Amino acid sequence: MKYFSIFCKEKFFFNSAYRYGLARVGCAVCPLASKWWDSISWMVFKQDLQKFVNILYENASNKELSEKETEKYIRDRGWEARAGGRDMKNGGNKVMVNDDGSSMTFFIRHPREDWLEWVKTIGHIIKEGHNQGRIENLDYNYPYVITRHEQALEIIVKGTNKADRFLISHLKVVANKTAYCVHCRGCEVECPVGALVINGVVKIDEKKCIHCGRCLSFKEKGCLGGDVGLFRLLTCKKGLYSGIYSRGRSRITENMEVFYTA
């Protein structure tokens, strides 16, 4: 109280919210704040808060909630629950992986980077056309086929039953990086030979890359952009994800069309 009096007397600049009893001042709309904090903030800074509250109402409207349910959603702070980015544009699950035992299929929605660039970190790429080729890793070649949809990629890598767990893990990380890379350059500094350069776009020099995997393994999911809670990596076995497989062949169904176009 002594210092508060001095601040007032000397006319030091400080947030006026402290004058109303708030012990700390942070974000205008905070999921960790108490109801008392919210009440004071709304009473004093209603004009500033209104635009954020409008966003919450818009979000509730997108969920197709009734007017009563919307009021409850706002009042009971339903918006503060972690949602993995589902309500954000292009948010939510962006990567799905299907492993049928002999091949892996990666479904990547709204990719941010080129899968063919990132996969160079795993092995030498031998192209056999614009959307197919082989990944040369140690003594084995893994054929790949890319199908490009309007807003998504479908990538099949064959022969993964012969791959070790490290290659399987790296293939999943490459999918993550393709989906979530925001060019933070966190993995660039991990490269010991300067093969990885990120300057608005990812470029990997195959002549320099030694496939050490440091850019892929420095984070649990391999990508800082994907590590902030914006995604879940879903792995499904053959037949578990309804409709992905039919008569042993991968095909797009109504469910996957939603994933590709959302």
Side-chain angles (χ1 to χ4, degrees):
M1 189 64 187
K2 173 183 177 182
Y3 294 108
F4 186 76
S5 299
I6 294 175
F7 290 163
C8 292
K9 180 180 179 181
E10 299 297 329
K11 298 182 179 180
F12 290 162
F13 174 80
F14 59 91
N15 196 301
S16 59
Y18 290 115
R19 293 180 177 272
Y20 295 90
L22 296 184
R24 55 180 290 276
V25 177
C27 300
V29 179
C30 177
L32 302 178
S34 65
K35 290 184 178 180
W36 178 82
W37 194 99
D38 283 344
S39 298
I40 296 296
S41 297
W42 183 251
M43 179 179 68
V44 181
F45 305 108
K46 183 175 181 178
Q47 184 175 351
D48 296 319
L49 291 175
Q50 186 63 61
K51 58 183 178 181
F52 297 108
V53 175
N54 289 343
I55 293 174
L56 296 178
Y57 274 103
E58 181 181 355
N59 182 51
S61 176
N62 292 336
K63 293 175 179 288
E64 298 184 354
L65 300 178
S66 67
E67 184 176 345
K68 185 176 181 180
E69 289 172 329
T70 298
E71 291 297 332
K72 187 176 187 300
Y73 172 77
I74 302 296
R75 184 184 66 251
D76 295 347
R77 303 166 67 86
W79 49 270
E80 71 179 16
R82 294 184 63 180
R86 288 193 301 271
D87 299 325
M88 299 173 63
K89 182 179 180 181
N90 299 342
N93 299 331
K94 294 185 66 176
V95 178
M96 295 185 68
V97 183
N98 188 85
D99 184 352
D100 71 356
S102 62
S103 65
M104 297 180 71
T105 303
F106 299 88
F107 305 97
I108 304 174
R109 185 165 60 92
H110 300 292
R112 291 177 175 269
E113 265 298 337
D114 185 359
W115 182 85
L116 279 173
E117 197 66 34
W118 272 118
V119 80
K120 292 177 183 177
T121 60
I122 293 179
H124 178 60
I125 305 304
I126 304 171
K127 293 186 178 181
E128 299 173 343
H130 184 60
N131 290 317
Q132 63 184 41
R134 290 173 287 141
I135 306 168
E136 191 178 62
N137 179 274
L138 298 178
D139 297 324
Y140 193 79
N141 289 344
Y142 300 89
Y144 69 83
V145 177
I146 302 174
T147 302
R148 301 180 186 274
H149 303 276
E150 184 178 352
Q151 300 184 64
L153 295 177
E154 178 184 351
I155 303 158
I156 300 175
V157 180
K158 300 178 181 179
T160 51
N161 55 311
K162 300 181 183 297
D164 59 27
R165 63 186 179 90
F166 297 106
L167 179 59
I168 297 296
S169 174
H170 287 169
L171 282 170
K172 292 179 180 180
V173 169
V174 166
N176 291 343
K177 286 182 174 293
T178 302
Y180 301 106
C181 179
V182 292
H183 306 141
C184 71
R185 307 180 76 175
C187 52
E188 182 179 353
V189 299
E190 297 293 327
C191 183
V193 295
L196 172 59
V197 177
I198 302 175
N199 187 16
V201 66
V202 173
K203 290 294 181 183
I204 295 165
D205 189 334
E206 283 194 279
K207 294 181 180 179
K208 291 182 179 180
C209 183
I210 58 176
H211 313 300
C212 64
R214 287 178 59 173
C215 62
L216 302 176
S217 58
F218 79 108
K219 290 292 294 180
E220 180 184 358
K221 299 296 184 181
C223 182
L224 289 171
D227 204 40
V228 296
L230 294 181
F231 75 97
R232 299 285 188 275
L233 181 65
L234 303 182
T235 302
C236 16
K237 295 298 182 181
K238 183 175 179 180
L240 179 61
Y241 192 89
S242 174
I244 291 184
Y245 278 85
S246 175
R247 297 187 180 91
R249 294 179 59 193
S250 177
R251 68 180 179 86
I252 303 170
T253 63
E254 183 178 353
N255 287 337
M256 289 313 299
E257 284 295 344
V258 172
F259 179 82
Y260 286 135
T261 59

